[in-house]
Each structure stands twice: as C-alpha cells, then as structure tokens.
Amino acid sequence: ILNVEQSPQSLHVQEGDSTNFTCSFPSSNFYALHWYRWETAKSPEALFVMTLNGDEKKKGRISATLNTKEGYSYLYIKGSQPEDSATYLCAFEPGTALIFGKGTTLSVSS
Amino acid sequence: DAGVIQSPRHEVTEMGQEVTLRCKPISGHDYLFWYRQTMMRGLELLIYFNNNVPIDDSGMPEDRFSAKMPNASFSTLKIQPSEPRDSAVYFCASSSGQGADGYTFGSGTRLTVV
C-alpha cells in the first residue's frame, strides 16, 4: 500500500510568520509530486507539480522543494497572511492516479 | 472553459435509494478521476478513466458502486443501494496527462444518506 504522510496535521501561526510543512512519500516508482491548496467550501487547486530530484518551485510567497531519493518534499510560506489559511495537500504520482496525503491545515491570525 | 462541472452540489437521500452523481470534465482532458473525501480517510481514489476507458477501479468500495464514461464529456458515479456510510463529498477531477499541470477538481457533491 502506497502511503503519503503529511505533518503537522494542523498549524496556527500569526500574520507575518514564516512556516513550512512536510510531505513524505514512497521513494520507489516515483513519477511526480503535487501540492494543492484547498480552501474551505472550495475544491483543491494545483500549486506545484514537481518531477525532478532537487526541484524547487516558487509562486509568490509559497515555495516547495523535492527530494525523491529520500522521499520527502517541503512547502514553505514566507510572511504568512490570513488569506493563506487553507489545507495544503500533497499527492504522490507513481505513474497512475494521484495518492493524496491527509493535508496540513494552516490557520493564520491577523 | 467553465472548469470541471459536477452535479448535484448536494444530495440527501434515504438508505436503499439509488444515487447518481454526474461530472463533465474539461474539454480536451483525457483523464477523469472520481475521489471520495471523508474525515477519516481523506481523499481516496475510487476509479479513473483514460480516453473514456476505466483503467483502475480497485478503489471502488463494493459492488454497490459503479462508474461509467459513455463519452469524453460525461461521466457518472452510481451507488445502488445507498447506505449511511456512503455519506461523504465526492469529487470529480480531470487532467490532460500524467505529471502535467495537475488535476482540475470540480466543486464536489456532498452526499448524505439518512
């Protein structure tokens, strides 16, 4: 059974804090690693798709890194804002459909 | 493009009734996925199609669940008979290919079986 683990499960920070989350995935049969942002009452939206070991991607204040050899990815948010409050999902793609972690729920207080 | 369109948004039905969920993927996307979201298990893959052909249905819970994709612009997920434990949010997503730009999700159908 392929397992994708995310930590922490939830996180509460103050506006302006920087934060990061971890995603662990199987290091075999790797094709791609995805990150999604999921706001309450909406549907998940793709943030990044990473395929190469050592990949780093950035979108505004959010960035992600990838280590396929050891099976982990980090998502960083610099200077958190209340609008960053959401659940962040990572998903492992072994060449078939995505296998999702349970997400990290971020709450940012102003 | 209007994105992935799911209907209905909410469905409340009685145990034993048949339920049909509908999905229209993004035009040109060759892959369509059905996921179920529950608090306990997160997003679980039920089944996915490539060019209208079911590729992996190993996530379908049991024979009460069935899915079809009669053409490139329409898919259904049917539960017959429905049970209270089927209550969840069901998402449809589509993609243009593996490892591409990610999946585009529909708004989901919140199913409540009483």
Side-chain angles (χ1 to χ4, degrees):
Chain A
I1 295 177
L2 299 174
N3 220 17
V4 178
E5 301 286 344
Q6 290 189 247
S7 64
Q9 187 176 348
S10 62
L11 190 58
H12 188 111
V13 301
Q14 295 294 313
E15 184 176 357
D17 289 349
S18 293
T19 187
N20 65 85
F21 326 132
T22 304
C23 173
S24 300
F25 54 87
S27 53
S28 58
N29 298 320
F30 178 86
Y31 192 89
L33 193 283
H34 299 228
W35 281 98
Y36 287 80
R37 183 169 181 273
W38 193 359
E39 291 182 74
T40 303
K42 294 187 178 180
S43 43
E45 291 184 352
L47 281 173
F48 306 115
V49 180
M50 297 185 286
T51 57
L52 298 176
N53 184 44
D55 244 358
E56 287 192 33
K57 296 226 171 171
K58 188 175 181 181
K59 187 181 286 189
R61 294 178 291 97
I62 304 176
S63 60
T65 61
L66 178 66
N67 183 323
T68 61
K69 293 183 179 178
E70 295 183 39
Y72 65 84
S73 174
Y74 294 131
L75 187 79
Y76 300 91
I77 302 178
K78 185 178 178 182
S80 303
Q81 300 296 309
E83 57 265 31
D84 296 328
S85 298
T87 295
Y88 293 83
L89 297 171
C90 80
F92 170 70
E93 182 175 1
T96 57
L98 296 185
I99 301 165
F100 284 87
K102 292 186 178 178
T104 293
T105 299
L106 173 68
S107 175
V108 183
S109 300
S110 56
Chain B
D1 200 318
V4 176
I5 300 172
Q6 287 188 249
S7 64
R9 288 294 303 271
H10 303 274
E11 176 82 36
V12 180
T13 191
E14 291 185 347
M15 183 174 65
Q17 296 298 306
E18 177 180 296
V19 176
T20 300
L21 312 182
R22 297 172 176 80
C23 176
K24 180 181 182 337
I26 288 177
S27 176
H29 280 190
D30 295 331
Y31 289 83
L32 183 140
F33 307 86
W34 282 100
Y35 282 86
R36 178 170 68 176
Q37 165 73 14
T38 61
M39 287 292 291
M40 288 294 294
R41 302 168 78 99
L43 268 172
E44 293 178 280
L45 177 70
L46 298 175
I47 185 171
Y48 80 96
F49 297 83
N50 178 213
N51 292 320
N52 314 338
V53 176
I55 303 299
D56 183 356
D57 66 354
S58 60
M60 296 285 261
E62 48 199 271
D63 291 345
R64 297 184 298 106
F65 285 67
S66 62
K68 293 182 180 179
M69 192 165 186
N71 57 63
S73 59
F74 183 65
S75 176
T76 60
L77 177 69
K78 187 176 292 187
I79 307 173
Q80 166 63 19
S82 57
E83 297 182 3
R85 61 192 166 125
D86 302 330
S87 297
V89 181
Y90 291 80
F91 284 99
C92 174
S94 70
S95 166
S96 59
Q98 293 171 341
D101 296 327
Y103 293 3
T104 301
F105 281 82
S107 300
T109 294
R110 181 174 294 278
L111 174 65
T112 304
V113 184
V114 297

